[in-house]
Amino acid sequence: MASRLSPFGRRLLLLTLLGLVVRVGYVLVVEQGDEITGDATYYHTAANLLADGKGFIEPYRYLHGGGQEYLFVEDESVIDPSANTALPIGHEEPTAGHPPLFVLLLGAGSMVGFRTVLEHQLISALIGAAAIPLIGLVGRDLAGERAGLIAAFLGATYGFLWLNDGMIMSESLVIVLAAACSLAALRFARGPSMRRALVLGVLGGLGALTRAEIALFLPVVLGWMLLRSGLPWKRRIGLFAASGAVAMAVVSPWVIRNLSVFEEPVLLSNGSGIVLVQANCDATYYGDKQGYWEYLCGLPQPVGPNGEPIDESQRDVQYRERGMEYISNHTERLLTHVVPVRVLRVWALYDPVQQLRADVLVEGRAFRLSVLALVQFAVLVPLAVAGGVLLWRRKEPLFPVAVWPLLVTFVAATAFATTRYRVTAEVAIVILAAVAIDALWTRAARGRSAAAT
């Protein structure tokens, strides 16, 4: 197969294998045997429960019953007994806490026998490595083959990309879909067609099924490209509508399932309420956790009017009401302090080492490797800015890549900031940095040639 590839394809394949070795080595040497926590527990357990035929059920309540409310609490006396704390181990209820695609992929592995934490970590590493050739293709489309290979090398070795792949986090799949969406959007920008609009719609729908905010990519980028195109308005509207219809068709089975199993309307996920309440409380508006989130702010978990258990969608409504009430009472603080800190925190400009330590506590990341990734980040970001300026001056279609940092900033400002929520922007960073490095390479080569002459 390698012999039938072009020289660029063979080099891209080698860089992909390098990235896979890095990710698998990280899993086997660093992460193997470590206890998983947080969302990693959700994805790992939910995938195995799905493979067991239980559908998409809430994994924490299944594993711990009423004990799930005490999981991250040092002093259990702060929680009063309730219908939630009385739930038995093995309790089953539907969940839409996260979109389903990553759970589906892990669940497919579970169905054929790959059920352990280590096996799910290796599946995550394999998924994450699939982003490398896509990143390389985006770089090539923007600035040529050498830029594409540089982008692929950075994608293989940049820590804030591969650190996610050893922790069973959906970010492994998010990286793949972010790169795929950018590649499809770039090709649409260079030659708009119905086929390319439909491909973009499929990828946008899959992205929405992986992380809800990726649903913003399709209407924002496609709308921007069509507004700037010279196509007749009827054609523009047709392409936009067709791409949107395909995306809706992709997500519709999940949406229909959610609307049928929950008491309150749920589309892609019902995690907005818990995010709102955990990110808007005294702990996250003042002190060391400003701009971050706090688990205790989501306690006690809501119950019904008579103290009875309620489903996930009903709890989410109450969480949302709590969060909005706090925001309405602290609007000035939110706008003048919290939102700026969220933005600074997500871009590692607000006590970045403290944030890395928080990542260790919440996600189990290796601290020293996170520091290494932070150093890489500090080097690559200025290069990425320079690469973006170069593409803008060359009048290349920059927006399908540059939109990711904008979306990350928006999500952080409206929710909260954490390192892994920046992962789509990391894709843009390595691609744009590769463009700048390629330009420097060209300039250096010209200098050597002039000197020799």
Side-chain angles (χ1 to χ4, degrees):
M1 180 184 69
S3 65
R4 293 195 294 270
L5 294 173
S6 65
F8 172 81
R10 288 195 293 272
R11 291 166 183 162
L12 191 60
L13 178 61
L14 287 174
L15 290 170
T16 303
L17 293 174
L18 169 64
L20 182 59
V21 168
V22 169
R23 286 154 174 78
V24 170
Y26 169 61
V27 168
L28 296 178
V29 175
V30 178
E31 289 295 330
Q32 184 178 190
D34 288 352
E35 183 180 0
I36 57 173
T37 62
D39 284 350
T41 302
Y42 179 99
Y43 290 118
H44 169 66
T45 306
N48 284 338
L49 291 173
L50 180 65
D52 291 338
K54 295 185 180 295
F56 290 92
I57 65 171
E58 212 288 329
Y60 299 114
R61 292 191 167 202
Y62 182 85
L63 284 175
H64 305 286
Q68 49 83 35
E69 197 158 343
Y70 300 95
L71 284 178
F72 306 105
V73 177
E74 294 182 2
D75 181 8
E76 295 186 0
S77 66
V78 302
I79 300 177
D80 294 327
S82 69
N84 292 317
T85 61
L87 293 173
I89 292 176
H91 173 77
E92 298 183 19
E93 65 174 70
T95 186
H98 295 282
L101 190 55
F102 188 60
V103 172
L104 278 170
L105 290 178
L106 291 179
S110 298
M111 288 179 186
V112 295
F114 301 116
R115 301 176 59 93
T116 67
V117 169
L118 175 60
E119 288 163 346
H120 280 177
Q121 288 172 323
L122 292 173
I123 291 173
S124 297
L126 185 62
I127 293 171
I132 298 169
L134 294 169
I135 289 171
L137 291 172
V138 175
R140 183 185 68 174
D141 278 20
L142 282 172
E145 290 190 354
R146 186 171 59 199
L149 293 174
I150 294 170
F153 174 77
L154 295 175
T157 57
Y158 179 41
F160 280 137
L161 291 181
W162 54 259
L163 276 169
N164 299 294
D165 298 336
M167 299 186 299
I168 319 180
M169 295 287 193
S170 65
E171 279 69 24
S172 299
L173 183 57
V174 168
I175 295 167
V176 176
L177 289 167
C181 285
S182 289
L183 181 62
L186 278 172
R187 295 186 173 177
F188 180 87
R190 297 190 188 281
S193 68
M194 182 59 72
R195 182 179 66 84
R196 288 178 174 177
L198 297 179
V199 169
L200 192 53
V202 170
L203 292 172
L206 293 175
L209 290 175
T210 305
R211 182 183 279 175
E213 62 264 27
I214 297 182
L216 297 171
F217 178 88
L218 183 62
V220 170
V221 173
L222 184 58
W224 174 264
M225 292 189 298
L226 289 173
L227 283 174
R228 294 175 60 85
S229 73
L231 297 173
W233 277 103
K234 184 177 180 180
R235 177 70 169 165
R236 298 185 206 188
I237 295 171
L239 290 171
F240 189 87
S243 185
V246 169
M248 292 177 66
V250 171
V251 303
S252 60
W254 178 246
V255 173
I256 292 170
R257 175 263 183 187
N258 290 340
L259 293 175
S260 64
V261 302
F262 292 111
E263 292 294 328
E264 299 290 336
V266 176
L267 299 179
L268 292 173
S269 69
N270 54 21
S272 61
I274 188 64
V275 167
L276 201 64
V277 75
Q278 289 180 340
N280 295 278
C281 59
D282 286 347
T284 62
Y285 275 45
Y286 308 91
D288 292 342
K289 290 192 175 182
Q290 187 175 182
Y292 194 47
W293 68 282
E294 171 55 61
Y295 174 78
L296 294 176
C297 293
L299 300 177
Q301 293 185 0
V303 294
N306 298 315
E308 73 277 12
I310 53 179
D311 80 2
E312 196 174 76
S313 68
Q314 294 169 307
R315 295 196 300 273
D316 201 58
V317 169
Q318 291 194 36
Y319 280 136
R320 213 160 34 240
E321 291 172 350
R322 276 195 227 167
M324 292 306 299
E325 181 181 2
Y326 189 90
I327 289 173
S328 66
N329 293 329
H330 300 81
T331 304
E332 182 179 356
R333 178 75 182 179
L334 172 67
L335 298 177
T336 60
H337 289 77
V338 179
V339 169
V341 170
R342 287 172 179 172
V343 173
L344 292 173
R345 186 185 283 273
V346 81
W347 288 108
L349 297 172
Y350 180 87
D351 204 348
V353 175
Q354 180 226 38
Q355 181 60 54
L356 296 185
R357 295 189 186 281
D359 296 338
V360 173
L361 292 174
V362 176
E363 301 169 8
R365 290 185 182 226
F367 179 71
R368 292 182 180 179
L369 293 176
S370 295
V371 172
L372 171 63
L374 182 63
V375 173
Q376 293 176 304
F377 174 82
V379 173
L380 289 178
V381 167
L383 289 170
V385 172
V389 172
L390 282 172
L391 292 175
W392 177 72
R393 289 178 176 175
R394 295 172 187 172
K395 301 188 184 303
E396 295 290 342
L398 173 63
F399 194 60
V401 175
V403 69
W404 293 117
L406 299 178
L407 291 179
V408 164
T409 303
F410 171 77
V411 170
T414 55
F416 66 89
T418 187
T419 303
R420 67 186 177 96
Y421 282 8
R422 196 179 60 225
V423 71
T424 53
E426 312 284 14
V427 173
I429 287 169
V430 298
I431 292 168
L432 297 177
V435 172
I437 294 170
D438 177 68
L440 292 172
W441 191 319
T442 299
R443 178 174 293 185
R446 287 174 180 169
R448 288 193 299 270
S449 177
T453 301

